[in-house]
């Protein structure tokens, strides 16, 4: 001690090294700690604690030889004091004794785990219906627990139950905060997917347990799709307005008039987006295709409805036992000719006018080739068969045409769906036999005569005992087929 008081540490250390005793170990350990050598310092102290002879001598020197204290209890007392001066992770790295390691781990984990649990409790108390409060709570939880989580991981190890439990709890609460924010964010918050993705990505990155990882991955994938579908910042306002029109459209009946309203209300918005992003931009084409696809759905539905009505009336007339020859003299609104004039043809005209309007919209190549163009062509043939003009305003050079028989070929039907609360499927009914009709334009009176003539010919065949073939009759009446595709409507969060 005199050497130390004189500042001669080397001489003091030589004396401590001459003989190993409980006191020399403690003194050498203290010097090592002063020098910053935690490993040597703790090793010396640990020897005194875990050596029964040294421990007894220490208690004797302290005058408490009769004190009933176990080896582990003494180790806990010493380590608790050391942790006030040395970090747990640093002290743990020097532990060579299994008992010491367990004690350091337990003592060192209490503080960070307690801090983590407190932060989780604060986040849970945030107003789940308030998007900004949820976002702030999730962000605060994410940032405030990074250091404590690292401490638990360093002390207990990444595979330890302690670490896996607390890190999964943090991941689940950060994830929930992100969900609460995104689900309650107003439509005006166009950046909500990107903001929520910060929390969801972090939750997925730290999750350890398989159940927690699966839940985080599921929500991450959903949100990633929303982020991928986000409009570029420069067209966010226009895109939001288009999607609002689509949302309102999805709540309306399947009427062509609503399709026309949708097309007219979104066209200027889409033109603005096109001018900013370019005609080949994938986001612009996708959004424009969504509009056309939804509008096309209503056209298909109402045309089918008109045809179904016509078919039902014809079936009712057949089943009534009316003499087919009397159909020539049916003049009321329920005669086949009147139904075509009053119920079918107006719908076809409206459908064609809406289609001409859709022609001015840009579409994705696959949709236009495989869905839109086949439907358009089929509807055009149906209209022409009913002598409904399908001319567009584009000037064309007129050339003489020769009237030749035309065969109507059946089209394969597929399904068109609109993504609403209750999706419905619809198809334009296909023709099942060929018809011979002139492709030349006819005047209105001739058209009526032509339709009645076909009906009479049909019923004449029935009267002759040749049976009822409505598919053939429908083809004869020139009501062709359209091919709706699987047209997904826009999906909106509640």
């Amino acid at each position: 001690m005199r050497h130390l008081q004189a500042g001669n540490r080397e001489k003091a250390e030589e004396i401590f090294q001459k003989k190993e005793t409980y006191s020399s170990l403690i003194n050498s350990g203290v010097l090592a700690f002063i020098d910053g050598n935690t490993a040597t310092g703790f090793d010396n102290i640990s020897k005194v604690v875990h050596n029964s002879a040294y421990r007894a001598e220490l208690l004797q020197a302290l005058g408490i030889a009769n004190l009933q204290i176990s080896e582990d209890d003494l180790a806990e007392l010493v380590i608790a004091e050391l942790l006030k001066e040395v970090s747990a992770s640093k002290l743990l790295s020097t532990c060579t004794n299994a008992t010491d390691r367990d004690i350091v781990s337990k003592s060192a984990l209490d503080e960070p785990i307690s801090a983590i649990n407190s932060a989780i409790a604060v986040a849970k108390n945030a107003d789940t219906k308030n998007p900004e409060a949820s976002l702030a709570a999730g962000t605060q939880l994410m940032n405030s627990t990074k250091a404590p989580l690292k401490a638990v991981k360093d002390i207990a190890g990444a595979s330890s139950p302690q670490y896996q439990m607390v890190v999964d709890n943090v991941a689940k609460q950060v994830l929930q905060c992100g969900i609460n924010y995104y689900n309650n964010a107003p439509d005006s918050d166009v950046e909500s997917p990107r903001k929520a993705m910060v929390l969801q990505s972090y939750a997925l990155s730290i999750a350890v347990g398989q159940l927690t990882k699966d839940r985080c991955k599921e929500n991450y994938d959903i949100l990633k799709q929303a982020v991928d579908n986000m409009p570029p910042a420069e067209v966010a306002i226009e895109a939001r307005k288009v999607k609002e029109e689509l949302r309102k459209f999805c709540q309306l009946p399947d009427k062509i008039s609503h399709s026309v309203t949708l097309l007219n209300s979104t066209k200027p918005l889409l033109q603005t987006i096109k001018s900013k992003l370019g005609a080949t931009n994938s986001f612009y084409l996708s959004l424009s295709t969504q509009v056309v696809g939804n509008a096309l759905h209503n056209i298909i539905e109402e045309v089918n409805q008109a045809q179904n009505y016509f078919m039902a009336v014809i079936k009712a007339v057949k089943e009534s036992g009316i003499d087919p020859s009397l159909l020539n003299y049916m003049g009321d609104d329920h005669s086949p000719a009147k139904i075509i004039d009053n119920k079918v043809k107006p719908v076809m005209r409206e459908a064609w006018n809406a289609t001409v309007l859709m022609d001015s919209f840009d579409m994705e190549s696959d949709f236009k080739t495989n869905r839109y163009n086949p439907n358009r062509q089929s509807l055009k043939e149906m209209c022409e068969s009913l002598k409904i003009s399908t001319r567009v305003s584009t000037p064309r050079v007129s050339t003489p045409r020769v009237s030749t028989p035309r065969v109507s070929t059946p089209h394969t039907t597929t399904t068109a769906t609109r993504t609403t609360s209750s999706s419905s499927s619809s198809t334009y009914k296909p023709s099942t036999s060929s018809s011979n009709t002139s492709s030349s334009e006819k005047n209105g009176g001739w058209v009526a005569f032509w339709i009645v003539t076909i009906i009479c010919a049909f019923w004449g065949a029935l009267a002759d005992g040749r049976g009822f073939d409505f598919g053939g009759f429908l083809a004869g009446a020139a009501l062709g087929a359209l091919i709706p595709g699987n047209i997904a409507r826009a999906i909106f969060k509640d």
Side-chain angles (χ1 to χ4, degrees):
M1 296 299 290
R2 287 195 299 271
H3 286 309
L4 289 174
Q5 289 174 348
N8 194 346
R9 292 183 55 185
E10 291 76 10
K11 288 290 184 179
E13 186 65 30
E14 287 178 9
I15 295 175
F16 294 150
Q17 296 296 333
K18 286 181 179 180
K19 182 180 180 181
E20 183 179 283
T21 64
Y22 81 91
S23 61
S24 67
L25 287 172
I26 292 175
N27 289 330
S28 295
V30 171
L31 289 178
F33 278 124
I34 292 174
D35 292 337
N37 188 347
T38 303
T40 300
F42 186 64
D43 185 59
N44 286 356
I45 300 297
S46 181
K47 281 183 181 181
V48 175
V49 172
H50 296 293
N51 183 289
S52 59
Y54 291 159
R55 188 170 63 252
E57 290 176 4
L58 172 62
L59 296 177
Q60 181 69 36
L62 294 174
I64 52 175
N66 296 326
L67 181 64
Q68 297 299 314
I69 183 170
S70 69
E71 175 184 343
D72 290 351
D73 289 340
L74 181 59
E76 287 183 1
L77 288 173
V78 173
I79 290 173
E81 291 300 317
L82 288 175
L83 286 174
K84 296 178 181 178
E85 303 293 337
V86 183
S87 67
S89 58
K90 189 172 184 179
L91 192 61
L92 190 64
S93 65
T94 68
C95 289
T96 57
N97 181 280
T99 301
D100 290 345
R101 175 173 288 277
D102 291 342
I103 295 172
V104 173
S105 296
K106 182 179 181 302
S107 299
L109 289 174
D110 286 343
E111 184 176 350
I113 289 178
S114 177
I116 291 169
N117 290 336
S118 296
I120 292 174
V122 171
K124 285 184 176 180
N125 287 330
D127 185 358
T128 59
K129 299 299 183 182
N130 185 326
E132 293 304 323
S134 296
L135 179 63
T139 303
Q140 175 64 22
L141 177 61
M142 176 180 67
N143 293 331
S144 65
T145 56
K146 286 181 179 179
L149 282 175
K150 184 179 185 302
V152 175
K153 185 177 182 180
D154 291 343
I155 295 168
S159 60
S160 67
Q162 299 97 321
Y163 175 72
Q164 291 187 9
M165 181 178 68
V166 293
V167 77
D168 278 353
N169 287 340
V170 171
K172 287 185 286 189
Q173 188 56 45
V174 169
L175 177 75
Q176 190 59 52
C177 287
I179 292 173
N180 294 340
Y181 161 66
Y182 180 75
N183 285 344
N184 295 289
D187 291 338
S188 57
D189 188 357
V190 296
E191 289 295 312
S192 61
R194 286 197 181 97
K195 294 177 183 176
M197 181 57 83
V198 175
L199 299 181
Q200 311 301 68
S201 298
Y202 179 73
L204 178 60
S205 70
I206 65 173
V208 175
Q210 193 58 50
L211 290 177
T212 304
K213 289 174 70 173
D214 290 345
R215 185 179 175 221
C216 291
K217 183 65 166 61
E218 179 183 4
N219 282 276
Y220 173 87
D221 290 343
I222 293 172
L223 194 59
K224 185 177 186 302
Q225 185 176 8
V227 171
D228 291 342
N229 292 333
M230 283 182 64
E234 61 268 35
V235 296
I237 295 176
E238 293 82 1
R240 186 170 70 250
K241 291 179 179 179
V242 171
K243 291 190 175 183
E244 174 61 20
E245 292 298 326
L246 282 167
R247 187 192 65 79
K248 292 188 293 185
F249 174 81
C250 289
Q251 299 173 349
L252 298 173
D254 296 336
K255 295 295 183 181
I256 297 173
S257 59
H258 297 318
S259 291
V260 173
T261 300
L262 173 68
L263 294 168
N264 286 328
S265 62
T266 58
K267 186 173 183 178
L269 296 169
L270 289 169
Q271 288 299 314
T272 300
I273 295 174
K274 179 180 179 179
S275 66
K276 291 181 178 180
L277 301 181
T280 61
N281 179 266
S282 59
F283 174 81
Y284 161 68
L285 288 175
S286 175
L287 189 59
S288 184
T289 300
Q290 285 184 45
V291 170
V292 174
N294 282 282
L296 181 61
H297 169 87
N298 280 17
I299 296 173
I300 292 171
E301 288 292 299
E302 195 163 358
V303 167
N304 284 346
Q305 186 179 13
Q307 293 188 86
N308 289 339
Y309 178 78
F310 180 70
M311 292 168 66
V313 172
I314 292 298
K315 181 179 179 181
V317 171
K318 169 187 175 286
E319 293 175 348
S320 68
I322 297 176
D323 185 348
S325 64
L326 296 179
L327 286 178
N328 266 335
Y329 306 101
M330 289 180 64
D332 62 13
D333 290 340
H334 298 293
S335 69
K338 288 291 186 179
I339 292 173
I340 290 177
D341 281 342
N342 299 334
K343 299 291 186 180
V344 178
K345 293 175 73 172
V347 173
M348 296 298 178
R349 289 192 186 93
E350 189 179 16
W352 180 251
N353 290 335
T355 299
V356 172
L357 181 56
M358 288 190 293
D359 286 343
S360 62
F361 284 69
D362 292 314
M363 306 168 215
E364 292 172 326
S365 176
D366 180 71
F367 173 84
K368 187 169 186 177
T369 300
N370 298 319
R371 298 289 181 263
Y372 182 75
N373 285 345
N375 277 295
R376 186 188 188 282
Q377 180 60 29
S378 295
L379 181 62
K380 184 174 184 291
E381 292 174 1
M382 293 165 68
C383 290
E384 289 175 346
S385 296
L386 290 172
K387 305 308 170 227
I388 296 172
S389 176
T390 57
R391 291 180 179 176
V392 294
S393 59
T394 304
R396 293 190 300 176
V397 177
S398 177
T399 57
R401 299 177 64 185
V402 179
S403 296
T404 57
R406 182 179 62 187
V407 177
S408 176
T409 304
H411 293 276
T412 303
T413 60
T414 56
T415 302
T417 61
R418 25 183 339 196
T419 307
T420 57
S421 57
S422 58
S423 299
S424 62
S425 299
S426 57
T427 59
Y428 285 146
K429 304 303 185 292
S431 164
T432 56
S433 67
S434 61
S435 64
N436 295 322
T437 60
S438 172
S439 60
S440 302
E441 290 290 339
K442 308 294 182 181
N443 59 50
W446 193 93
V447 171
F449 170 78
W450 174 77
I451 294 174
V452 173
T453 300
I454 291 178
I455 294 172
C456 291
F458 158 68
W459 284 109
L462 179 63
D464 289 341
R466 285 180 286 173
F468 178 75
D469 179 8
F470 185 75
F473 168 73
L474 191 59
L479 295 179
L482 290 191
I483 311 173
N486 292 322
I487 304 165
R489 301 196 65 165
I491 299 175
F492 302 91
K493 65 181 182 181
D494 294 331

